[in-house]
Each structure stands twice: as structure tokens, then as C-alpha cells.
Amino acid sequence: MIPEFMEASKYLKVTALAGGVGGAKLLVGLDKVLQPGHLSAVVNTGDDFSHFGLHISPDLDSVCYALAGLADSVHGWGRKDESWQVLEEIRRFGAPDWFALGDRDLAWHLERQRLLSEGKTLTEVTAHFCEVFGIQSRVLPMCDEPAPTLIKTKEGEWLAFQDYFVRLKCQPEIADIALLGNREIAASDLVIEAMLEADLIVLAPSNPWVSIDPILALRGVRNSLQGKPVVAVSPIIQGSALKGPAAKMFADLGIHPSSEAVRQHYEELLDGFIFDDLDLPDAENWQSSAIINQSFQTIMKNDEDKIALAEAVISLGARILQGR
Ligand code: GDP
Ligand code: CA
């Protein structure tokens, strides 16, 4: 436990905005530290698409599997103790195999699709998963309608996000990003409720461009953040992402990737910013602002790291609340 962690802080109500794998790690820490039911996770659905007629929601599944203790920590996605018989058979047919669903993962996808086809919302279906697996935190898809993130390449081609991310392995250089399918979409009512009820808002160490920005772009979200303390954790460490294209996206869009670039990306929203100890030398040169900057060991390799970082985030939030 970090020394300055105050016992009372765990009674705070926290709403955290998150994408997939990076965000899920901090959510696991927050889920363990806070009182049961005091964490709401608002999860990006900009990566969602349809495959074999099934609704695929990569970030939602990463978060749910992580909170349920079912995540595959070796692959970094999907379920642990997975088998791949269905995928092997799919390959035999020469059918598309660029998006891999394991057998256990597939069972949930089938059931989710059945419930969605009956008219249940993604929010309702996610709550059902949480109930079955005993997840006490609230997991909320950012909205219930399709809100796809689109990637424009330097060649001028618009790509669906998973085409860019999985099929093309993030290789094309990005010229532009369109959020929410270029439409105006409102956050779900439960998302707005979770924001308004929260004592503290956390921006998880997720990709700022394609995991957090889609949530912030939804109608109602920025308004409901007004007056709330907001703390972000940097997903960029020493100029790189631990996984995925976050750093490359900054560079493609003409911004030098760094913790400072993340801080500036969120600047007008933030009250507190946690960046990695490894970036401490850089922080001496940051321009002063009203944001409280704090360094910490932010690389989460195990549950102890996740809990320690969650405690640091909550402590900083509590400190900001006290100072008001
Ligand atoms: P995705 O949707 O699965 O790509 O995941 P996210 O958007 O939630 O997270 C991707 C970001 O998480 C990347 O920029 C990584 O650098 C960051 N990330 C992954 N693991 C960690 C970690 O342990 N600590 C920190 N600070 N960032 C992490
Ligand atoms: Ca994602």
C-alpha cells in the first residue's frame, strides 16, 4: 500500500473512462481497492464491428474478462484457458481468420448476439455478463448504438478501425481519425448518470485518440464532467506505448509522443496527471499549469502493480477534492 493512501479514499465513487487492455489493467486495480459497487467503467465501443454476424466489442470484452479474472495475460486479449477448434475448422473452409475468436470466447459471442437479436441493448447484455461472472463494478458501454472509429490513411483511404488495427497491423500512416462514424451520438443515460454520481473521474492509461476521445466526443459527456476532479494516467512511457499504436498515432499526426503530449492532449479537462517515474527527468521542463503532476511506477505487470497505481490515482483524486 502506498504510504499516503488514506483509508477514507476507498469510499469515493469513481467513474473511469477506458479502452481495452491498458485501461482494463487499471480498472482491475480500482475494482480491488474501492468499495464494491463504487467503480463504474465507461468503455469505448468505437472498435466494435460485426464478424460472422456476431457483434464484436473488443474493448468491452477486454474489460469484462479482466474484471472477471478470465483474461489471457499471455496474448493480452481474449480468454485464458482457451482452445481454438472452431478457428481451425473455419480455416479449413478458407473463411476469414484474421480476427481470432477462441472457443470459450465464441460461446459468449453467440449468447450476446442472441440477446441483442432479441432486442436487448449492449448495456443490458453487458450487465448480464457481469452478473454471471460476479463482477461488482458497473461496466457500461459508452453508448448502445454503432459509433465506429474510422481511420484515414495518408493515401486518402478510410478504413474501419479493426481493418487498420488487426488486419493491417497498424502499418498505414494515419492522416485523420473520425470518431462516432462522423455523427452526433449521445452517451447512454447510465453513462451520464455514472459521471454525475462520481466523486472522481479517471482517464485510464488507454489510447487517447481511439479509446478515450470517442467517449469524450459523445453528447453529454463533457458537460457532465464540469466541476468534477479529473485524473489521467499516461499510456505513453519514454515516448513509447507498451503495446499498440498510441505513440505512432501521435507521431503520424505530427506530435512528438511523450507523457507531456498526453497531458497536453487532455489539458483543459485535467486536475491531476500521473506519469511514469521513468519520465521524471522530462517533467522538469513541462510548462507550468494548474494540473497537479505526479510520477509513479505505472507499468502494471501484476495485481500488486495495478492496486498500487489505483491507490495512487485515488489518493491524488482525494487530495484534489480536499483542496477545493
Ligand atoms: P486497447 O484498446 O486494447 O488497445 O487498449 P487501451 O486503449 O486501453 O490501451 C492501450 C494503451 O495502454 C497503450 O498506449 C499502452 O501503452 C497502454 N498500456 C498498456 N499497459 C500499460 C501499463 O501497464 N501501464 C501504462 N501506463 N500504460 C499501459
Ligand atoms: Ca481498443
Side-chain angles (χ1 to χ4, degrees):
M1 184 169 292
I2 66 168
E4 67 268 34
F5 186 69
M6 289 165 286
E7 215 22 48
S9 310
K10 69 179 190 205
Y11 291 96
L12 291 179
K13 283 196 153 186
V14 176
T15 294
L17 281 52
V21 174
K25 290 195 215 167
L26 180 62
L27 291 175
V28 167
L30 290 167
D31 177 74
K32 290 185 190 293
V33 170
L34 293 165
Q35 289 297 293
H38 280 212
L39 172 66
S40 296
V42 177
V43 182
N44 171 48
T45 57
D47 306 0
D48 291 18
F49 65 109
S50 178
H51 194 53
F52 288 99
L54 300 172
H55 185 101
I56 311 280
S57 195
D59 290 358
L60 210 46
D61 287 348
S62 293
V63 166
C64 287
Y65 288 157
L67 289 175
L70 299 171
D72 181 333
S73 54
V74 180
H75 278 103
W77 51 267
R79 278 200 56 165
K80 67 179 180 188
D81 305 324
E82 191 56 286
S83 56
W84 301 94
Q85 300 201 28
V86 174
L87 189 68
E88 279 165 27
E89 288 302 305
I90 281 173
R91 288 196 174 121
R92 199 196 290 263
F93 289 109
D97 67 351
W98 60 271
F99 191 82
L101 285 176
D103 300 336
R104 288 179 192 277
D105 202 7
L106 186 61
W108 168 235
H109 281 79
L110 289 170
E111 174 59 358
R112 173 164 57 201
Q113 190 57 50
R114 187 185 72 84
L115 294 169
L116 290 171
S117 306
E118 277 181 356
K120 297 256 186 339
T121 64
L122 192 58
T123 301
E124 289 166 342
V125 174
T126 305
H128 175 58
F129 180 97
C130 291
E131 203 185 316
V132 169
F133 285 101
I135 297 173
Q136 287 180 307
S137 294
R138 253 198 312 180
V139 182
L140 302 170
M142 66 181 195
C143 61
D144 282 317
E145 58 218 276
T149 298
L150 304 170
I151 301 289
K152 188 184 184 184
T153 67
K154 289 261 152 84
E155 284 72 47
E157 189 189 0
W158 282 99
L159 299 170
F161 185 73
Q162 291 301 321
D163 261 359
Y164 164 78
F165 190 72
V166 182
R167 196 172 60 82
L168 298 171
K169 302 188 168 63
C170 308
Q171 274 157 4
E173 231 183 296
I174 293 182
D176 199 2
I177 300 169
L179 302 175
L180 313 181
N182 257 329
R183 286 176 302 133
E184 187 179 311
I185 298 178
S188 79
D189 292 346
L190 287 180
V191 164
I192 298 297
E193 204 174 281
M195 303 261 184
L196 293 175
E197 275 176 18
D199 301 309
L200 170 65
I201 306 288
V202 174
L203 308 183
S206 291
N207 187 314
W209 301 99
V210 296
S211 292
I212 305 293
D213 281 359
I215 305 174
L216 294 173
L218 291 164
R219 193 172 69 235
V221 167
R222 279 179 185 262
N223 269 347
S224 59
L225 291 180
Q226 295 275 329
K228 301 276 178 191
V230 181
V231 172
V233 178
S234 179
I236 301 285
I237 299 168
Q238 293 197 300
S240 304
L242 293 178
K243 184 191 147 282
K248 183 175 173 289
M249 284 183 175
F250 275 99
D252 284 0
L253 295 167
I255 304 165
H256 178 67
S258 63
S259 294
E260 167 71 333
V262 175
R263 199 179 72 112
Q264 282 178 9
H265 186 87
Y266 294 134
E267 176 107 47
E268 85 279 20
L269 287 174
L270 291 188
D271 300 285
F273 182 64
I274 295 185
F275 60 99
D276 199 83
D277 287 335
L278 294 168
D279 284 334
L280 205 47
D282 279 4
E284 286 168 15
N285 304 318
W286 291 359
Q287 282 157 13
S288 65
S289 71
I291 301 170
I292 303 179
N293 302 306
Q294 192 177 297
S295 80
F296 201 76
Q297 203 292 92
T298 70
I299 301 176
M300 295 170 278
K301 294 202 176 108
N302 51 42
D303 278 0
E304 287 70 48
D305 296 340
K306 294 170 195 169
I307 289 169
L309 183 56
E311 288 181 347
V313 168
I314 296 165
S315 296
L316 179 54
R319 202 173 123 202
I320 292 163
L321 278 164
Q322 272 178 347
R324 290 195 161 178

